Every structure is written in structure tokens, then in C-alpha cells.
Amino acid sequence: MSPEISVEEASEERKRWESAEMGPVGPANDVVLSKMAAPEDAPVPAPPPPFVTELGPVGPWAFGRTEWNPASGLTGVRPVVDRHSVTRFSPGDWLRHNEELTATATAARQRGDAAAWSAREVRRRTTAELDALHRDSSDRLQERAQHVWRWRAELERAAEVMWDEIQLLQQTPPRLHRVLAALAKAAAVASECIAVRCKRPDTDLIRDPAHDQLVKEAALIREVRNMTERCLKQAVEQVRADRAALVALQADWSCKKDCYRVDTLARAITALREPLVGVFQAGAAAVPERQVTPGDWELSTRRNIAAAEAERQRSIAFRTLLQPMLDGAVRDVRAQAARVDDALARNVALVARAVEHFDEQYRLTVRKEADTETLIESLRVAIRNTDPNLKTAQSRLHTRQQRVASENCRDPPQAGLLEEVSRVTTAATALDGQLRNSTNALHEIREERARLEACLVLKKKHLHLDRDRVLKLREHFPTAACLSGLN
């Protein structure tokens, strides 16, 4: 313990401490408060008192020896300190310590004031900037949502018109299928008519105008059917292309719808207001890969709409071209069918007249055959009628040959009998010649009658095929409405 000091010494030491001046703690610029310079109206602290650099006297109570070390700091040579002393530091050290603590506290408060002011300014400016950024982001999101909504409306309109076009175009394949069915029926009728007319026998199997028109009709139907099949294939491909374009429009429309919902939801998110309050999202500020630019986004939408419109125009052009083609094909087929029917009608009339003609010839031939047979029978009767006269004359001559001597002379009765025999023989010979001629004529007439019968059979069969079968088949030929696919 240190020895006690007198009251007078303590009073003097107190006065000396109170009259001592504070040393400086260094320039205020040595302390860095923040990155922001202090404003002009910031409070300026009073300069600290100067440091005390001199030691007080060494009291007589201290034992030991004085020692000095260069590491002793600003106090210079310290007083001797032992285990019974409390005078390790001098009053100047104590004052300097207090002054340093006061200076550091003042500097800390100054830094706190500057930091508070800077924080308030930064908070005010940051709040203003963040509010402005929030408003700008909200406005941009609103503008973007409106832009997305406009393109969504454009896509919806394009999808609606494409849907209407698809509905119109989808009516084409069933109609073309009905046209092909009608053409198949027409081809079957034409082929059956040709096959039936090929059954005409013998000389009636000719290449007449009706046959030529039927062949032309079959060829025309084949061409129209090939054209219809190509149109059907093109219609199916066009429907598929239109549906693909519609799917692309609907997919883009769905993306725009989701984008509008997302942008609207993003604009509704706020910092503090309910019901949508923003939360921290790790990695949300990272830019996704393969993210397109607004120009590419709009260009993609324009391309989808342009591609769909191009497909729609091709579909309209196809439908516009298809109708005249079908009308022309139906008109040609029906015109050829009318020509076939007209040729068949003329041929039926011609064959009917031929049948009537040959029937009349047959009746005349049969009548002539009967007359010839009657004539032959009468000639035979006439020949037989000459026999009694010849027998009588010859018997008379034979009887008169029994006269003897000069009685057997060539008298007038003898001459008359000879002439009678000669004339009867000549008459019989003439009648026999006529009988042979009549018999030959009868054979020819019978041959002609047989040929007429065969010809009548051919003509009647020809007439039956054309009138009763071909014309009946022609009644099943499709109408213009069926060929157009309307029924």
C-alpha cells in the first residue's frame, strides 16, 4: 500500500489536475464515417484538448529505481513501481486516458450521427428509387399484359376463321367420297352395258355408234374418277394442313393466355399488401437459357398467324377451284350419258325396224313357200292327169297295130293318135320341168325362210339386249345430283 498524503498535497494535486488542458486526439478527418461525405449542415464536434506529454514528479514514497524503455509509449520514463505502490501511471496518463476515451466516444457518436443521417438519406432515396422502379415495373407488366392480350385476341380471331374454314373444307372429302361412289356406279353401268352388248350374236356383233359412245363414256368416267381421287387426296392433305395450322394457333393462344395470366399475377404481387405478397425466390434473377427477345417473340406470333392465313387462303382457293371442276365433270358425264342413251335409242329403233322388215319378209317367204307347195302339188296332179290320155292314145295305137296287110296304113286317125301321143308326152315333159323348177324354187324358198328365221332370231335377241336389258341398265345411271355428291 502507498503511504498516505497530506490534505494540502491532495488539494494542490487536485487544482493542478483541474487546471490542466486537454490534449488533441488528432484531426477529425482521420476518422472515416461512411462512404458518403458528411453534409454541410451536419453537427461539428468541438476539438479535443491537447495531450499531456510531461510526467509529474516522482513522489518520495516510491521505492526502487527509475527505468526507461523505448516501448513505454508517449509517457516517456515511467516512475518506479513496486508491489507497495499504486503509482504505475501518472496523472497525465490518467487524464490522457480519459481524454482518449472521451474523444473515441465523441468520434463514435459523430460516426453514429453521420451514419444515421446517411442511412436516412439512403433509405429515403432508396425508397423513392424502389417505389419508382416498382411503379415502372408494374407499368411495364401492365403494358406487356395488354400487348400479350392484343396478340391473344389476334390469335383467337385467326383460330376462329381457321376453324370456320376447316368446317367448310371438311364437307369436301365426304362429298368427294359420294362422287366416287356415284362414278363407280356409273362405270359399272357402262361396263355392264358394254358386256351385255358383246353378247350380240353373229352378224349383229358390230361396232355401231352406241358401242363407240359407251366406250367413250367408260373412258370419260375413268378420267373423272382419277381426277376426283386426286382432289380427294388433296382435300385430305389440305384438311390435315389446316388442322396443323389451327393446332399451332391454339398452342400459341394457350401460351399467350398463360403468359397474360402470369403477367397479371406478377403485377398483382406487392411488397406488403395482401393477398399477394412477394417472397424470396432463390435464383429468380438468373436469365434462363434460350430466352428469346421481344422481337423474336412477336415475329414468331406473326409467322404463326401468317402461316395459318396462307393455309386458309390455299383452302379457299382449293374449294373455289373444286366446285367448277366438279360441275364441269358432272356436266360432261351427263352429256356423254345423254349421247349414249340417244345412240342406244336410235339403235333400238333401227333394230326394231329391221325386225319388222325381216318379219314381213318371213311372212312373205312363208306365204310364197305355201303357194309353191300348192303349185307343185297342182303340177303333180296335172302330170298325173296326162297319164290317162297318154295311156289311151298309146293303147289305141297299140290296138291299131293289130291291123293286117294293107289295112295297117298311116291314116288320119293314126296320125291323130301319134300327134296326141306326142303332145301329151310334150305336155307331160313340160309339166315335169315346171315341177322340177317349182321344187328347186321351193328348196330355195325354204332355205331363205330358214335364214330369215335365223336372222329374225338374231335381230330379236339384239333388240332384246338393247331394249330390255341395256336400256333398263341405263335407268340406273346416276343423276347429276348424285354425281355432284349432293345426295
Side-chain angles (χ1 to χ4, degrees):
M1 298 294 294
S2 61
E4 296 181 359
I5 62 174
S6 62
V7 176
E8 291 81 7
E9 290 178 352
S11 178
E12 291 177 359
E13 187 68 21
R14 182 179 179 181
K15 291 180 180 179
R16 187 176 62 82
W17 288 358
E18 291 178 352
S19 62
E21 295 181 355
M22 300 293 292
V25 297
N29 293 334
D30 292 342
V31 179
V32 179
L33 298 180
S34 64
K35 294 183 179 180
M36 185 178 297
E40 297 179 356
D41 56 350
V44 180
F51 287 111
V52 177
T53 58
E54 294 181 358
L55 290 172
V58 177
W61 57 85
F63 297 96
R65 61 182 179 85
T66 60
E67 58 181 358
W68 178 87
N69 191 334
S72 60
L74 300 177
T75 60
V77 179
R78 296 180 178 180
V80 178
V81 178
D82 58 9
R83 62 180 181 174
H84 303 290
S85 175
V86 293
T87 59
R88 179 177 177 84
F89 298 98
S90 67
D93 292 336
W94 181 79
L95 292 175
R96 185 176 65 253
H97 176 266
N98 294 339
E99 291 169 357
E100 288 177 356
L101 184 60
T102 303
T104 55
T106 303
R109 288 194 303 273
Q110 182 181 5
R111 286 194 298 270
D113 293 339
W117 182 88
S118 177
R120 287 192 299 271
E121 287 297 319
V122 170
R123 184 181 63 182
R124 180 184 59 80
R125 187 166 58 252
T126 303
T127 302
E129 290 178 357
L130 292 179
D131 290 341
L133 288 175
H134 181 74
R135 287 192 300 271
D136 292 343
S137 297
S138 299
D139 294 340
R140 283 193 291 269
L141 284 173
Q142 181 66 24
E143 182 181 358
R144 177 63 178 176
Q146 292 176 356
H147 194 196
V148 171
W149 181 267
R150 183 177 69 84
W151 282 112
R152 176 180 175 273
E154 290 291 333
L155 288 169
E156 185 173 0
R157 184 192 63 81
E160 288 178 356
V161 297
M162 178 57 74
W163 174 257
D164 295 338
E165 178 60 29
I166 289 175
Q167 295 302 312
L168 292 176
L169 186 61
Q170 281 182 338
Q171 301 175 3
T172 301
R175 180 185 179 186
L176 292 177
H177 281 297
R178 292 193 295 269
V179 170
L180 287 175
L183 289 174
K185 183 178 181 180
V189 170
S191 301
E192 186 65 19
C193 290
I194 293 175
V196 168
R197 296 192 86 247
C198 287
K199 296 178 181 179
R200 291 173 297 171
D202 202 10
T203 57
D204 280 8
L205 186 60
I206 60 174
R207 185 176 177 179
D208 52 1
H211 179 78
D212 293 338
Q213 295 300 329
L214 282 171
V215 171
K216 290 180 181 179
E217 183 183 56
L220 178 62
I221 292 173
R222 191 180 308 111
E223 292 179 1
V224 173
R225 183 172 57 189
N226 294 335
M227 181 198 71
T228 307
E229 289 176 351
R230 291 194 300 270
C231 292
L232 176 60
K233 182 179 179 180
Q234 186 176 356
V236 172
E237 293 177 354
Q238 187 63 47
V239 169
R240 188 180 297 113
D242 289 351
R243 286 179 177 174
L246 179 61
V247 168
L249 289 176
Q250 290 175 344
D252 201 354
W253 177 87
S254 180
C255 293
K256 296 294 184 296
K257 180 182 177 181
D258 292 340
C259 181
Y260 178 79
R261 179 183 59 81
V262 169
D263 286 345
T264 305
L265 180 63
R267 189 186 183 282
I269 296 175
T270 59
L272 298 175
R273 291 194 300 259
E274 295 291 342
L276 296 177
V277 179
V279 296
F280 289 109
Q281 299 288 344
V287 178
E289 296 181 359
R290 302 178 65 182
Q291 194 173 31
V292 300
T293 62
D296 294 336
W297 171 82
E298 185 172 349
L299 180 61
S300 176
T301 304
R302 290 181 182 275
R303 284 178 177 175
N304 287 337
I305 295 176
E309 182 63 23
E311 290 295 338
R312 192 176 72 89
Q313 293 300 327
R314 280 194 288 270
S315 178
I316 293 174
F318 173 72
R319 289 192 299 106
T320 304
L321 181 62
L322 179 63
Q323 186 61 40
M325 290 176 60
L326 288 179
D327 293 342
V330 170
R331 185 170 53 251
D332 293 342
V333 171
R334 287 305 306 175
Q336 182 62 31
R339 286 191 288 269
V340 170
D341 293 340
D342 184 65
L344 286 173
R346 289 198 302 268
N347 189 72
V348 167
L350 181 62
V351 174
R353 288 195 300 269
V355 169
E356 292 177 359
H357 171 71
F358 285 110
D359 191 47
E360 180 66 23
Q361 292 294 322
Y362 180 76
R363 287 195 299 269
L364 294 176
T365 303
V366 170
R367 186 178 301 138
K368 179 57 67 177
E369 181 182 5
D371 294 342
T372 303
E373 289 177 351
T374 303
L375 176 62
I376 290 174
E377 187 62 27
S378 64
L379 287 175
R380 287 176 179 173
V381 171
I383 291 174
R384 285 196 300 270
N385 291 334
T386 60
D387 290 343
N389 295 330
L390 182 59
K391 290 178 181 180
T392 301
Q394 289 180 352
S395 296
R396 287 176 179 178
L397 286 175
H398 179 70
T399 301
R400 293 194 73 197
Q401 290 295 335
Q402 297 177 4
R403 292 177 301 171
V404 295
S406 60
E407 294 299 328
N408 191 6
C409 62
R410 193 175 294 176
D411 52 4
Q414 182 73 22
L417 288 171
L418 291 173
E419 184 177 0
E420 182 181 1
V421 169
S422 175
R423 288 185 178 183
V424 170
T425 303
T426 303
T429 303
L431 289 174
D432 187 64
Q434 293 299 320
L435 178 60
R436 286 193 301 273
N437 293 335
S438 297
T439 302
N440 293 334
L442 180 61
H443 288 313
E444 292 178 0
I445 290 173
R446 286 177 177 175
E447 291 177 358
E448 292 299 326
R449 179 175 62 83
R451 293 176 59 188
L452 287 174
E453 287 178 352
C455 185
L456 276 174
V457 171
L458 298 179
K459 295 295 185 289
K460 287 182 179 180
K461 186 174 182 179
H462 186 181
L463 183 63
H464 168 71
L465 293 175
D466 283 351
R467 183 180 61 190
D468 299 334
R469 295 190 60 182
V470 175
L471 289 183
K472 292 295 182 181
L473 286 173
R474 299 300 298 179
E475 293 177 358
H476 298 282
F477 197 87
T479 61
C482 292
L483 291 172
S484 298
L486 300 177
N487 293 333

